[in-house]
Structure formats: C-alpha cells, structure tokens
Amino acid sequence: MRPRIADVWGAILADAFAGKPSQEIVERDDGFVMAFDASYLLAPFEDWDDADERRAMRFVRGRVLDVGCGGGRVCLQLQKRGLGVVGIDSSQGAVAVSIDRGVRDARVLDVDAVDPSLGLFDTVVMLGQNFGMLGSRTRARRLLERFALVTTPRGRIVAETFNPHALDDPVQQKYRERNLRRGRMPGQLRVRVRYRDLATRWLDWLQVSPEELVQLLEGTGWQLARTLGNGPSYIAILEKVEPRGNARRP
Amino acid sequence: MRPRIADVWGAILADAFAGKPSQEIVERDDGFVMAFDASYLLAPFEDWDDADERRAMRFVRGRVLDVGCGGGRVCLQLQKRGLGVVGIDSSQGAVAVSIDRGVRDARVLDVDAVDPSLGLFDTVVMLGQNFGMLGSRTRARRLLERFALVTTPRGRIVAETFNPHALDDPVQQKYRERNLRRGRMPGQLRVRVRYRDLATRWLDWLQVSPEELVQLLEGTGWQLARTLGNGPSYIAILEKVEPRGNARRP
C-alpha cells in the first residue's frame, strides 16, 4: 500500500505545535531517504541553530513576502521587528498553525499564484531551504520573473539553498550524473515528503551552487549580490539588476 | 529506483559512531513511516532516556546473551558490572562497532542460529524493542523454545516490546484489523528499515500486549513474571515455568 497524498506539512506542523515529536522524512526517487526533526519549524529566532539564517534576517527590509511560511517562524520574527509581512504557504494546515501562533497575515497560496494583487514587496524570503521550491531551471526562471513583478525597484530575495556539489560520496555523485544525463540540473531532486501515513506528491526540489545560481539568474532581472555561509547550505541575497540606461550617476 | 538491500544497521551505527547525525527510518507496508534518532544506540547507561530500560537492567544476572546487540550499549554496561556477556547481531557492521567500542564478545550471528554451542545463559536480553525480532506467533514460539534450550533452570528473558493496542488512532486501528483478517497478530508489523540509500529486506516485527504475551508463552517453557513500565512501551521479565513434579518443596 502507498502512503496517502495529503497535507503533510500541515500534519507535521500541527503535531509539532501540539508538542509531539515529529520528523519530516524526505524520500528521493533513487530510494535515498533523510529525516529531519521538525522542531526547527517552530523555533523562535533566538533558537535558530543556523547562524547564517539569523544573519540573513538583517538583509530583510520593508514589506516582506515569506514564501512557504510553514509554522510562521520567519513571519513572527519580522512582525516583532515591526515589518509588514505576508506569509504564503500551499499547506492549509501550515497557515492554520501560523495564524494560531500569531502571524497576522498568512494565506493559503501556492507560489505559482503570486501576482501583483498581493501588492509590492521590498523583500521576498525563502529561508529553510525554500529556494528548493523553484523546482527546475524553467520553473525557477518563471518564478523569479514573477517575483520581479511583485517587488519594488530596491527589491531583494533572501533565499536559502544547498550546494549539491559539496557532497562527494558516490551515491550523490551518481544522482547528479543521472540528472545531467536527463537534461535536469545536477541538484534537481525528485522528492516527496512523508510523515506517518501521509505523503506529498513527487515534486522537483532545486539545489544550486553559487555558480549555477549566477547562470540561472541571467535575464530574470535578478543578480547575486552576495552569499552568506561557508557550508554546503548557504543563503543567497539577490538584488534587482539596474535597468539599462538607468545606472546610478556618480 | 529502489533502495539497495544492505547492512543498514551497520551503516547507521558506523555513522553514529563517527559522530554524524543519523536516523533509522522505519517504513511499514501500509506506507506509514517513522524516524528515530540513532544516538540512543550508542548512549552510555547514564544517558538511557528510557527509565524502564535502566530499571530492567537490575533483572539481568549471571551469564548473559544480548540478542541484537547493535552498538553494544547493553553489553558494555553489563561488562562494567562484571557480568559475562555475549552479544549477537546479524549485522556485521553492528558487531564491528561493538568491538571497536570495547565489547569483548560480540559475534555476527542471526537469532535463528542461537544454539547450545554458545553455552548456557542465565539471562537473554532483548532491550531497545528487540522483542520485535521474534517476528510472528510461530517464529516467536520457535525462538522462545530455542532460548529455553540455551538457558539455565533459573533462566530469564528481559525483553522490551510495545503494546500495539495502546494506539487508538484510525490508521493504527486499521492496520491491526488488516492483520487480524490475514491471520496475523494485531501487532505483527511488516516493516523495513531505511537509511540513506539502503534498506533492510521487509521483515515481520512483533509487538504484543501483556495479555497477548501470556497467550504466546503457553507451552514454550516460559511465563510472564512481571512487566516494567506503564506506557505503550514496556519490558517483560520472563522466567522458566517450573517443570511438572519438580515444584519447590516447602
């Protein structure tokens, strides 16, 4: 029997919020599995164990769109700082937990449905590896162009990803090579998340090196301003390319 | 693609021993998944977070057979107490880690291969849910009879299991009912353990309530002397039934 397709993130977050131990189990299409304790999803800023994430929050300014807000940990911290923030998540259960925890504006919305009706943002945040949501080369470029439309000229994207080339064990190498042979990006993971008897659908989860990111951004209106972090996991700060003929005067 | 059938426990233990975060992911045949942090496998006695397990160690005496010794946490504690202990595990990697950690007698041996050539034991230990290894009603009875042959008349079994009826959510209820319809014990789980790209074969993992245990023991030469623990997880202390006509005299 197969796991039931359902709101996995909602179930994980509801259990974590109720104080139950819960883990997200990520299964890749080559049979590779990983488990992550879900408590980080609800951690207050002070307890974020990724120092780069805490540091990245300094780059968040103005009106903010938190893409994949989960249990609202990023929204809550930004609200505390007095910023206006809209959290979106495709999981109804995640949004329910965010609201319960005090997020003032969390909406059930797929990243594909982001459009100017949400208003303009100064920063788009994708922490917690949420860059992965961009999925594939094509989808990433489409969504980045979409983000350009909903951001101000000083718009910024603060996104966390993972350099897939940093893992040199044979299993990971083989997976990247298989992806390349199939015309996919090396770090384009085909995964689903499982929890208890539930699973998400299989989806593409994109991981890129800084070099791959620079290439990916070409023509999207975004450029890599800087990266934070020295590990395989790192945070990219993207800023808008100044439009042609609009360069700053000395 | 499917995960590769390999020495999963060896891989988990080797990584945990090297200080890498590692989790055992248990997948049930209905698609239900669970993850457990593997650090408990190497925990020193003082850090065992299951108080019942610590308490159960007081019932361990004489020469000991530790069935499914894993990383040797039970063996090491018993050696410290001066007991003679033989650890067996079907995982070559587990035995290697046990030896590396100081277990003096750990052997690669399947529980089915236990026989009098190992000598006689006063206690057979199956902590860490290792009762599950007994698999099914038939297999359990066969192995319990086997344990009777390799134990002294004062022989004891100290085994940890889990009362499957303690979980009343619909998914678990349905699983127990499906088992019953198929002539299996309600808590006879069909599972495999996964870690990274590896998996065990699918196997039966038996969980029983104290009442089911009493029934299961009938005619095996063993009886339930007492249980430790009030949670779903509990430890059974089994002792030998005194042979007929050999009752103690006043």
Side-chain angles (χ1 to χ4, degrees):
Chain A
M1 287 203 295
R2 285 153 185 276
R4 190 155 57 85
I5 305 295
D7 180 0
V8 173
W9 289 106
I12 292 173
L13 283 161
D15 278 357
F17 190 42
K20 294 184 201 161
S22 51
Q23 312 85 15
E24 39 181 283
I25 294 177
V26 180
E27 182 179 24
R28 205 168 60 186
D29 64 344
D30 62 340
F32 195 89
V33 283
M34 293 152 280
F36 304 91
D37 190 279
S39 55
Y40 82 95
L41 292 167
L42 301 180
F45 182 73
E46 299 71 36
D47 297 344
W48 293 5
D49 61 2
D50 180 342
D52 298 323
E53 276 197 341
R54 291 199 306 277
R55 208 170 135 219
M57 290 292 268
R58 291 191 220 147
F59 292 83
V60 179
R61 60 186 180 187
R63 184 163 182 264
V64 183
L65 179 66
D66 180 16
V67 176
C69 65
R73 66 183 177 109
V74 169
C75 292
L76 289 172
Q77 173 60 14
L78 295 174
Q79 280 182 191
K80 204 181 268 182
R81 271 175 49 191
L83 301 187
V85 51
V86 178
I88 62 166
D89 205 296
S90 55
S91 157
Q92 198 176 6
V95 170
V97 169
S98 282
I99 301 282
D100 275 353
R101 294 180 76 222
V103 175
R104 285 193 284 268
D105 192 347
R107 312 183 193 177
V108 182
L109 195 75
D110 201 88
V111 61
D112 298 282
V114 167
D115 70 25
S117 71
L118 291 168
L120 282 181
F121 298 94
D122 299 293
T123 312
V124 174
V125 178
M126 307 182 91
L127 288 183
Q129 293 292 327
N130 276 353
F131 179 90
M133 226 178 280
L134 300 187
S136 67
R137 196 183 275 116
T138 318
R139 180 174 158 82
R141 291 176 61 85
R142 191 175 68 232
L143 287 172
L144 287 164
E145 284 163 16
R146 182 71 67 104
F147 292 158
L149 290 179
V150 297
T151 42
T152 58
R154 69 202 283 261
R156 221 178 228 173
I157 298 175
V158 177
E160 190 173 19
T161 182
F162 188 100
N163 180 353
H165 305 277
L167 303 180
D168 59 0
D169 64 279
V171 176
Q172 312 306 335
Q173 263 174 12
K174 203 173 135 195
Y175 193 79
R176 294 196 297 269
E177 284 159 15
R178 190 176 71 130
N179 265 341
L180 279 171
R181 281 197 308 275
R182 297 176 175 194
R184 294 161 63 87
M185 292 196 70
Q188 190 175 338
L189 315 181
R190 187 81 183 159
V191 294
R192 61 176 177 176
V193 180
R194 296 176 65 172
Y195 179 62
R196 299 177 57 89
D197 60 325
L198 312 177
T200 63
R201 292 184 192 285
W202 287 97
L203 52 89
D204 279 341
W205 193 256
L206 187 60
Q207 298 183 331
V208 290
S209 68
E211 297 71 27
E212 288 166 340
L213 179 56
V214 167
Q215 281 204 327
L216 188 67
L217 293 176
E218 264 172 35
T220 61
W222 297 98
Q223 62 191 353
L224 180 59
R226 63 184 294 176
T227 60
L228 307 174
N230 299 311
S233 180
Y234 69 96
I235 290 156
I237 312 288
L238 311 183
E239 292 180 349
K240 284 195 163 173
V241 179
E242 302 204 12
R244 231 180 262 260
N246 195 14
R248 269 184 212 132
R249 303 225 173 98
Chain B
M1 287 202 296
R2 286 151 185 277
R4 190 154 56 87
I5 305 294
D7 181 359
V8 174
W9 288 106
I12 292 174
L13 284 161
D15 278 357
F17 190 42
K20 294 185 201 161
S22 51
Q23 311 85 14
E24 39 180 283
I25 294 177
V26 180
E27 182 179 24
R28 206 168 59 186
D29 64 343
D30 62 341
F32 195 89
V33 283
M34 293 152 279
F36 303 92
D37 189 279
S39 55
Y40 83 94
L41 292 167
L42 302 180
F45 181 73
E46 299 71 37
D47 297 344
W48 293 6
D49 61 2
D50 179 342
D52 298 323
E53 276 197 340
R54 292 200 305 277
R55 209 170 134 220
M57 290 292 268
R58 291 191 219 147
F59 291 83
V60 179
R61 60 185 180 187
R63 186 163 181 263
V64 183
L65 178 67
D66 180 15
V67 176
C69 65
R73 67 183 176 109
V74 168
C75 291
L76 288 171
Q77 172 60 12
L78 294 174
Q79 280 182 191
K80 204 181 266 183
R81 271 174 49 191
L83 301 188
V85 51
V86 178
I88 61 166
D89 205 296
S90 56
S91 156
Q92 197 176 9
V95 169
V97 169
S98 282
I99 300 283
D100 274 354
R101 294 180 76 221
V103 174
R104 285 192 286 267
D105 191 348
R107 311 183 193 178
V108 182
L109 195 74
D110 202 88
V111 61
D112 297 284
V114 167
D115 71 24
S117 71
L118 291 167
L120 282 181
F121 299 95
D122 300 293
T123 313
V124 174
V125 178
M126 307 183 92
L127 288 183
Q129 294 292 328
N130 277 352
F131 178 89
M133 224 178 281
L134 301 186
S136 67
R137 196 183 275 116
T138 318
R139 182 175 156 82
R141 292 175 61 83
R142 191 175 68 233
L143 287 172
L144 287 164
E145 284 162 17
R146 181 70 68 104
F147 292 158
L149 290 179
V150 298
T151 42
T152 58
R154 69 200 285 257
R156 224 177 224 171
I157 298 175
V158 177
E160 191 172 20
T161 182
F162 188 99
N163 180 354
H165 305 278
L167 303 180
D168 57 2
D169 65 278
V171 176
Q172 311 308 332
Q173 262 173 13
K174 202 172 135 196
Y175 193 79
R176 293 195 297 269
E177 284 159 15
R178 190 176 70 129
N179 265 341
L180 279 171
R181 281 197 308 275
R182 297 177 174 194
R184 294 161 63 87
M185 290 195 71
Q188 189 174 338
L189 315 180
R190 187 81 183 158
V191 295
R192 60 177 179 177
V193 180
R194 296 176 66 171
Y195 180 61
R196 299 177 56 89
D197 61 323
L198 311 177
T200 63
R201 294 183 190 285
W202 289 96
L203 52 89
D204 280 341
W205 192 257
L206 186 59
Q207 298 182 330
V208 291
S209 67
E211 295 72 26
E212 288 165 340
L213 180 56
V214 167
Q215 281 204 326
L216 188 67
L217 293 176
E218 265 173 36
T220 61
W222 297 98
Q223 62 191 352
L224 181 57
R226 64 183 293 174
T227 60
L228 306 175
N230 299 312
S233 181
Y234 68 97
I235 289 155
I237 312 289
L238 311 182
E239 292 181 349
K240 283 193 163 173
V241 179
E242 300 203 12
R244 230 180 262 259
N246 195 16
R248 269 183 213 135
R249 304 222 173 99

